[in-house]
C-alpha cells in the first residue's frame, strides 16, 4: 500500500520540477542566478548558496549575495566622473587591474558583464568619444603629411 501511494507522488513531484526547469529564464545573459541589485552593472560574482550554521551546528539554507554598491567612476576619455553605476568589490578590483574604466570598457570581452542600463550608456559614450578622437588624430596626421 505504501509503495502505490509514494510512486504517484514522486512522479507528480518530478513532473512539476521538470515543468519549472523548462520555463525561460528571466535574464538574457549567460547567468541565470543574479540578485536583483546586480542585474545591471560591473558585477563579477553571482548569487551563491550555502548554510547558516548555528551554535548547535544546525544548518539552514541561505544565499550569499554579491557585494554591490553604487559608485561614480572616472573616465579619462570623457574627462569627467560618470555614473553612479552598480559595481561590486571584485568589479572595482578588475577595473584597477585593467588600468582604469576606459581600458576595462574598450578591451574587456567578459560575458559576465551585462552592458545594460547606466553602464551600457557609459560604454556607448566612451566608444563614440574614442572614434571621434581617432578621426581628429587622422585629420591632423593627413594635414601634416600635406605640408
Amino acid at each position: 500500500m505504501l509503495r502505490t501511494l509514494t510512486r504517484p507522488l514522486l512522479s507528480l513531484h518530478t513532473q512539476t520540477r521538470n515543468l519549472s526547469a523548462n520555463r525561460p529564464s528571466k535574464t538574457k545573459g549567460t547567468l541565470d542566478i543574479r540578485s536583483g541589485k546586480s542585474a545591471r552593472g560591473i558585477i563579477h560574482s553571482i548569487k551563491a548558496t550555502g548554510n547558516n550554521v548555528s551554535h548547535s551546528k544546525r544548518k539552514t539554507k541561505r544565499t550569499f549575495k554579491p557585494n554591490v554598491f553604487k559608485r561614480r567612476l572616472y573616465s579619462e576619455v570623457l574627462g569627467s566622473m560618470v555614473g553612479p553605476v552598480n559595481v561590486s568589490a571584485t568589479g572595482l578590483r578588475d577595473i584597477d587591474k585593467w588600468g582604469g574604466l576606459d581600458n576595462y570598457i574598450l578591451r574587456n570581452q567578459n560575458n559576465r558583464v551585462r552592458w545594460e542600463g547606466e553602464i551600457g550608456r557609459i560604454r556607448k559614450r566612451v566608444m563614440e568619444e574614442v572614434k571621434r578622437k581617432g578621426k581628429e588624430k587622422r585629420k591632423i596626421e593627413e594635414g601634416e603629411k600635406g605640408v
Side-chain angles (χ1 to χ4, degrees), residues 81-135:
M81 299 293 281
V82 293
V85 178
N86 280 339
V87 64
S88 67
T90 54
L92 281 178
R93 274 199 314 248
D94 278 354
I95 289 171
D96 286 341
K97 184 174 83 174
W98 282 83
L101 179 66
D102 302 321
N103 287 335
Y104 181 83
I105 286 175
L106 296 172
R107 297 190 178 134
N108 191 3
Q109 299 298 325
N110 191 349
N111 60 357
R112 292 190 298 177
V113 177
R114 294 176 62 192
W115 300 105
E116 298 175 4
E118 184 63 27
I119 191 66
R121 288 189 287 274
I122 292 169
R123 182 182 190 210
K124 186 176 179 181
R125 283 175 50 201
V126 167
M127 297 254 195
E128 288 172 355
E129 188 69 20
V130 167
K131 283 182 185 176
R132 189 182 65 77
K133 286 185 178 180
K135 288 180 183 177

Side-chain angles (χ1 to χ4, degrees), residues 1-146:
M1 180 85 177
L2 183 62
R3 286 185 182 168
T4 57
L5 288 178
T6 56
R7 282 187 184 159
L9 290 177
L10 286 176
S11 65
L12 178 64
H13 174 70
T14 54
Q15 286 174 358
T16 56
R17 188 174 44 154
N18 289 339
L19 287 175
S20 64
N22 292 333
R23 287 186 193 144
S25 63
K26 292 182 181 179
T27 60
K28 294 180 183 176
T30 57
L31 296 174
D32 291 328
I33 41 179
R34 288 273 187 161
S35 67
K37 193 172 184 181
S38 70
R40 295 177 182 91
I42 301 174
I43 316 312
H44 286 265
S45 56
I46 57 174
K47 193 175 1 176
T49 59
N51 290 319
N52 274 341
V53 182
S54 66
H55 181 70
S56 65
K57 306 289 192 264
R58 182 182 195 132
K59 294 179 177 129
T60 55
K61 284 290 188 185
R62 63 157 295 181
T63 58
F64 296 94
K65 295 181 182 174
N67 184 12
V68 178
F69 38 87
K70 285 191 175 278
R71 286 288 181 264
R72 295 180 68 210
L73 303 170
Y74 182 73
S75 170
E76 293 176 1
V77 171
L78 299 175
S80 64
M81 299 293 281
V82 293
V85 178
N86 280 339
V87 64
S88 67
T90 54
L92 281 178
R93 274 199 314 248
D94 278 354
I95 289 171
D96 286 341
K97 184 174 83 174
W98 282 83
L101 179 66
D102 302 321
N103 287 335
Y104 181 83
I105 286 175
L106 296 172
R107 297 190 178 134
N108 191 3
Q109 299 298 325
N110 191 349
N111 60 357
R112 292 190 298 177
V113 177
R114 294 176 62 192
W115 300 105
E116 298 175 4
E118 184 63 27
I119 191 66
R121 288 189 287 274
I122 292 169
R123 182 182 190 210
K124 186 176 179 181
R125 283 175 50 201
V126 167
M127 297 254 195
E128 288 172 355
E129 188 69 20
V130 167
K131 283 182 185 176
R132 189 182 65 77
K133 286 185 178 180
K135 288 180 183 177
E136 287 178 2
K137 189 176 180 181
R138 276 187 241 123
K139 284 182 183 177
I140 292 171
E141 288 173 358
E142 289 173 4
E144 289 176 357
K145 288 179 183 178

